[in-house]
Amino acid sequence: MVNAARRLVSASLTTQILIALALGSVFGLVLNYLDITALNITLVQGVLSMLGQMFLNALQMLVVPLVVFSLLCGVVGIGDVKLLGRVGGLTFVTYLATTALAVTTALIFASLIGPGTGFESMYLAGDGVSVANPQTTWEILANIIPRNPINALANGEMLQIIFYVMVVGIAVLMMGNRARAFVEGCEFMNELAMKIVKIVMAFAPIGVFSLIAKTFAMEGFGLFGPVIGYLTTISLTLVFHLCVTLMALLYFTTGLSPRMFLRKMRSAQVFAFSTSSSNATIPASMQCVTQRIGVDRSVASFGIPLGATINMDGTAIMHGVATVFLANAYGIDLGLSGYLTIISISVLASIGTAGVPGVGIVMLAMVLNQLGMPLEGIGIILAVDRILDMMRTVVNVTGDAVVTTIVGQRVGKLDKAVFDDPDAGVLGSTDLTIDHAAEQEFAKLTHPHPQS
């Protein structure tokens, strides 16, 4: 038992997280089966909820400073405004293309499987979701420019933050050598942010265990029965898009091994599954893409935060399948125009969708409103959305990494030797060891020896 515990502690972080994921699932299902009120209040809604929320808060704490300083260093590191425009344009267009592919695939699968056909109307009763003044496409685009950058930073408005930081980075490039001190300060803060990431990641197994155990304790498997067709369609589409569409795109554009890519993205995918948040997974994605896959930080620090904000492949798949599911349930014929409307709205809505848990439901309500469909059916979607939200986020995060890798390879910013090395950037128990050489240098700076 002691030896097993030692092996667990010395295992890589990815292995620890996977073990925590499995143990949390089993523990949660046991709690759901026992269904003891006092135990649920104390353990599920108390301890597990507290630990899970603390971990999510810690991840969210990292996002803004990590995005700001890594993106600043990335923009400056590219070194050429023209190359920056090429990287940004290629990244943006590829993200929109993968989202369009995702929702198109979802509509094809949904049309073939036909979820919701013959669905009993009693299951469609629910409170529904209302949308108060949804933003138009033009408002979303206009609001990318922040009125108050400080307010955008405080509220975590990712599109506004990315826009402002890019403007600052371009201005720094234009200033040349005069901005050297500022750049060095940003590089230091970026390195400091990455050290904080490692500290938080050390507690990831506890956070993952708590989040998964709480989810399974509250949801169980009983609610999956009435909507098995909907669940099956979304699950198949998500798996197909991740394993076929995205991996084919990666292979045919870069020649890189999809199997090696998925192996190196495993820890970020586990994070995405447990947190259901693309934003919260940014630190893990950055580590995988830069240290494991070998994309230069100048490209990754631009592509990953942007992807967490505008690349919503998994959410677009949910929009497509859910819309067809509800249309079949209500006996509504969408037709070709309806399908084209779903594709266009899902792609445009992804630009303004925050990478946080549950936001896909709100965006789905916007899609249904645009199609003139009743919102009451969202009640049944809500009942099973938590597990699907976790799966969708895995696809979202993987899509971010695929596009960033493609762009990195296309602009010559990918280290093939790092990608081909199975052990490159593996995170283990030594992540929190102190850099003693750096500690000595810091001691010299803060406690200089008196002059003789």
Side-chain angles (χ1 to χ4, degrees):
M1 183 68 71
V2 174
N3 290 333
R6 287 176 178 173
R7 284 196 298 270
L8 178 60
V9 171
S10 62
S12 68
L13 182 62
T14 301
T15 302
Q16 293 180 23
I17 293 172
L18 290 172
I19 293 173
L21 183 68
L23 293 177
S25 302
V26 173
F27 186 62
L29 289 173
V30 170
L31 291 177
N32 180 265
Y33 176 78
L34 293 176
D35 193 23
I36 302 175
T37 302
L39 186 63
N40 284 338
I41 292 175
T42 302
L43 193 56
V44 179
Q45 301 178 30
V47 177
L48 293 177
S49 179
M50 177 194 69
L51 292 175
Q53 190 60 50
M54 288 173 68
F55 179 60
L56 287 177
N57 290 345
L59 290 174
Q60 294 286 1
M61 172 186 72
L62 301 172
V63 171
V64 171
L66 184 62
V67 168
V68 169
F69 292 112
S70 65
L71 185 54
L72 266 174
C73 292
V75 172
V76 175
I78 290 176
D80 183 0
V81 176
K82 291 183 179 180
L83 180 58
L84 175 63
R86 182 186 172 197
V87 170
L90 181 60
T91 303
F92 185 79
V93 170
T94 309
Y95 276 141
L96 294 187
T98 58
T99 302
L101 280 173
V103 67
T104 302
T105 303
L107 292 175
I108 293 173
F109 270 73
S111 299
L112 294 174
I113 298 174
T117 304
F119 199 66
E120 295 293 337
S121 60
M122 61 177 289
Y123 290 120
L124 296 177
D127 295 333
V129 174
S130 60
V131 178
N133 300 321
Q135 285 187 317
T136 66
T137 303
W138 310 115
E139 289 173 333
I140 291 172
L141 295 175
N143 289 332
I144 289 176
I145 302 177
R147 298 177 182 177
N148 185 338
I150 305 301
N151 189 59
L153 290 168
N155 293 329
E157 300 288 347
M158 296 307 299
L159 274 180
Q160 295 184 1
I161 292 172
I162 289 171
F163 179 87
Y164 181 72
V165 171
M166 286 187 63
V167 171
V168 172
I170 292 171
V172 169
L173 284 176
M174 295 171 66
M175 291 181 68
N177 290 332
R178 288 184 295 167
R180 172 49 51 190
F182 176 79
V183 173
E184 290 177 350
C186 289
E187 289 172 349
F188 171 79
M189 291 301 297
N190 186 41
E191 186 176 351
L192 179 63
M194 293 307 298
K195 291 294 184 184
I196 298 174
V197 167
K198 289 185 177 182
I199 294 173
V200 173
M201 293 299 186
F203 296 93
I206 299 174
V208 168
F209 174 88
S210 302
L211 289 168
I212 294 298
K214 177 188 173 185
T215 297
F216 277 90
M218 296 180 67
E219 303 293 347
F221 286 118
L223 54 79
F224 295 152
V227 286
I228 191 67
Y230 170 70
L231 291 169
T232 301
T233 306
I234 283 195
S235 299
L236 288 175
T237 310
L238 289 171
V239 172
F240 181 88
H241 184 71
L242 191 154
C243 296
V244 178
T245 305
L246 290 177
M247 293 304 102
L249 184 65
L250 176 74
Y251 178 76
F252 287 113
T253 55
T254 66
L256 299 176
S257 166
R259 179 178 297 180
M260 181 66 75
F261 178 88
L262 290 175
R263 174 180 176 179
K264 295 198 168 194
M265 278 300 297
R266 187 168 55 188
S267 61
Q269 290 171 334
V270 173
F271 265 100
F273 185 80
S274 61
T275 63
S276 300
S277 171
S278 298
N279 283 349
T281 313
I282 286 176
S285 297
M286 285 285 290
Q287 282 192 330
C288 287
V289 171
T290 56
Q291 298 177 21
R292 297 280 284 141
I293 294 175
V295 178
D296 189 88
R297 188 169 296 279
S298 63
V299 174
S301 60
F302 176 84
I304 294 299
L306 182 64
T309 306
I310 72 168
N311 186 46
M312 297 291 167
D313 293 359
T315 305
I317 287 172
M318 185 270 280
H319 289 167
V321 175
T323 304
V324 174
F325 166 73
L326 293 176
N328 289 339
Y330 283 116
I332 299 173
D333 183 16
L334 291 172
L336 179 60
S337 61
Y339 285 165
L340 293 176
T341 301
I342 295 169
I343 293 172
S344 59
I345 294 177
S346 296
V347 172
L348 293 174
S350 68
I351 300 175
T353 302
V356 296
V359 74
I361 284 292
V362 178
M363 303 311 293
L364 172 62
M366 189 183 79
V367 174
L368 296 179
N369 262 346
Q370 189 68 28
L371 292 169
M373 293 177 59
L375 300 181
E376 288 77 10
I378 292 183
I380 192 63
I381 302 294
L382 280 170
V384 296
D385 189 64
R386 177 56 180 159
I387 296 294
L388 293 176
D389 197 15
M390 299 159 79
M391 297 172 62
R392 293 197 303 265
T393 309
V394 174
V395 175
N396 290 342
V397 167
T398 305
D400 297 346
V402 167
V403 172
T404 302
T405 303
I406 291 172
V407 173
Q409 195 269 346
R410 299 288 290 179
V411 300
K413 296 282 186 177
L414 184 140
D415 190 336
K416 187 70 161 48
V418 173
F419 182 88
D420 291 335
D421 182 2
D423 299 321
V426 174
L427 301 178
S429 58
T430 59
D431 285 338
L432 296 180
T433 55
I434 297 174
D435 187 339
H436 293 291
E439 186 182 52
Q440 292 173 5
E441 290 298 321
F442 182 74
K444 291 178 182 178
L445 292 173
T446 54
H447 300 288
H449 296 294
Q451 295 180 353
S452 56

